[in-house]
Amino acid sequence: GAAKSVKLLTLVGKDLKIPLGKDFDDLSVGDVLAHDFDLDGLLLTNMDLSRTRPLTHESYRTHFAIPVLCMQIMRLCTGLEELTVGATLFEYAVFRNVWSAMRRTSDCSSLQNLRKCSLAPDVAKDVTDLELWVKFPRDWDAAMIMPLFASNMESVSAFLSLAPGSVSCQVGQPRQSWITHMNLHHYQDQTYELRQLLTATLNLRCFEYHAVVDWSGNEGPHVPEKDIGLEILYEALLIVGDTLEELVATQYYVSGDRSVEGGMERDHPLPDHHVENLQVLKRLRKLSLPYKSLLRRQARDASEREWHSVLPTTLHSLTLTNHLDENEWDYKPSWDDDSLSATFMTIRDWIALYTSEDDPSIFALRFDGIWDETFPARPWQEHMDRSCRDRHMRFSLEKPPWASFEGQWWPLT
């Protein structure tokens, strides 16, 4: 009875210590399902999910029991509205299989009231913070995508590779998702089904898209001939042009070769393709993306651009970031360079054309991982703030804490 009153459930394990993909398939699924576990007794034992081999008898039974126990908990919580499941559980093939089948079985009663679902958030954090290289089990995407089609789902956060067939096999019935918010960490290594995913989520209003580019799968002379990174997002935006109201985009590089970390961007210096597709987002109000991507990687040659051919006139809030991975290592913007400042000024002036005193727009800059000496000086900050206020706009500037450097903000806090 008490389980039915549970509204929020979090199932997470320890931080990942080795690359994803080395799952527990050496544990027999048949044996797992055959055991009749004493759950009360199990909860009093050591639940450590260490991958030490060979497994002791106790840890062997624990590894057997964990995915089964978690599935039983979810089945009991029929009133569940918000669910978080860590990556550790998805490393068990038995958990992925049962989880993926839930919407096709009587277990779907556990999903009927679910509104918000976050899957493998720990992988997203580890990959972007530590540049981990990931190898997914073949059925990973099927497990991650399943909650999108729960009947009352509104918001999903997941880490996906969108490998060929991962989406189309789910929506081939055909099937439509009703979610309005999606936070997607997209691990890019070869080919992808982002267009198919957006086609299945035509009610999407808020979209966070984090491109995680596996350089080992995208390197070589063929790279300029294929879309990569945020180009994959831009190319697919036409599909959600009538619904999307908020868009956040970032990009990171990862590689199995630690010796080249931070240097991949020099191997792909071409302008981002399809960025002009932002203009088709007819209802877009809030946009956050790397400024080098918006400027097509020509920051000091973009001051003469016609922004109405790139950005929608509905835009009310624009945040420009430096979240292209190379900026955090070797790109040092010079704020004394008139052409770079002039580019930001032209963007500010374009936004001002569509703002009013009663409804001021927002222009923000957010720079991660740059040195204090490359952060805009106080006179530049003050000038930008005054010029925005003169145009009925609000200006903000942020440099989050990084390494030994303290954070800086404008307006001052």
Side-chain angles (χ1 to χ4, degrees), residues 84-299:
T84 298
V85 183
T88 304
L89 280 171
F90 284 103
E91 290 182 283
Y92 293 92
V94 61
F95 185 87
R96 296 195 302 271
N97 293 338
V98 177
W99 169 267
S100 299
M102 281 183 71
R103 70 177 176 89
R104 299 189 298 273
T105 68
S106 59
D107 291 333
C108 67
S109 60
S110 304
L111 305 177
Q112 288 179 354
N113 296 302
L114 203 59
R115 302 290 191 272
K116 183 176 182 180
C117 191
S118 178
L119 306 179
D122 39 353
V123 175
K125 184 179 187 304
D126 285 343
V127 167
T128 54
D129 287 355
L130 305 176
E131 297 188 349
L132 290 180
W133 180 57
V134 178
K135 185 178 184 303
F136 290 97
R138 284 183 297 177
D139 57 349
W140 175 272
D141 280 349
M144 292 288 114
I145 289 173
M146 184 277 288
L148 269 71
F149 302 100
S151 56
N152 292 304
M153 189 68 70
E154 298 173 356
S155 175
V156 171
S157 175
F159 196 100
L160 289 160
S161 68
L162 295 178
S166 61
V167 180
S168 53
C169 69
Q170 297 282 324
V171 300
Q173 285 122 27
R175 195 168 183 89
Q176 180 67 41
S177 170
W178 301 104
I179 66 168
T180 57
H181 294 66
M182 181 162 58
N183 184 334
L184 172 63
H185 283 78
H186 180 195
Y187 193 90
Q188 302 177 5
D189 60 352
Q190 291 293 335
T191 54
Y192 331 100
E193 287 196 342
L194 181 60
R195 290 182 62 87
Q196 291 87 336
L197 181 64
L198 294 183
T199 299
T201 55
L202 291 178
N203 294 297
L204 200 61
R205 295 203 308 267
C206 302
F207 188 22
E208 289 191 35
Y209 179 83
H210 308 282
V212 183
V213 183
D214 180 347
W215 197 248
S216 61
N218 287 282
E219 62 185 343
H222 64 286
V223 168
E225 302 174 7
K226 62 179 288 190
D227 290 341
I228 188 174
L230 294 182
E231 295 173 333
I232 295 169
L233 167 68
Y234 299 146
E235 191 275 334
L237 286 178
L238 294 167
I239 299 170
V240 290
D242 293 330
T243 62
L244 205 62
E245 299 174 4
E246 299 182 19
L247 176 63
V248 175
T250 65
Q251 179 173 312
Y252 303 87
Y253 288 96
V254 296
S255 175
D257 184 356
R258 302 289 294 185
S259 66
V260 297
E261 64 183 14
M264 297 81 152
E265 179 62 21
R266 289 189 293 269
D267 297 322
H268 185 63
L270 300 178
D272 280 2
H273 296 135
H274 317 302
V275 67
E276 65 279 358
N277 282 355
L278 290 166
Q279 199 268 338
V280 306
L281 300 176
K282 302 174 183 177
R283 302 180 62 182
L284 193 68
R285 296 280 288 170
K286 297 179 66 175
L287 174 64
S288 174
L289 79 170
Y291 75 85
K292 282 193 73 177
S293 182
L294 176 64
L295 306 183
R296 304 187 79 242
R297 303 171 191 259
Q298 298 171 341

Side-chain angles (χ1 to χ4, degrees), residues 15 39-40 43 56 61 73-74 93 126 136 157 207 220 229 247 277 287 329 332-333 348 399:
D15 293 339
L39 297 182
D40 290 335
L43 292 172
T56 65
R61 287 179 55 82
I73 291 172
M74 282 191 286
D126 285 343
F136 290 97
S157 175
F207 188 22
L247 176 63
N277 282 355
L287 174 64
W329 293 88
K332 298 179 174 61
R348 173 208 62 193
K399 181 176 80 69

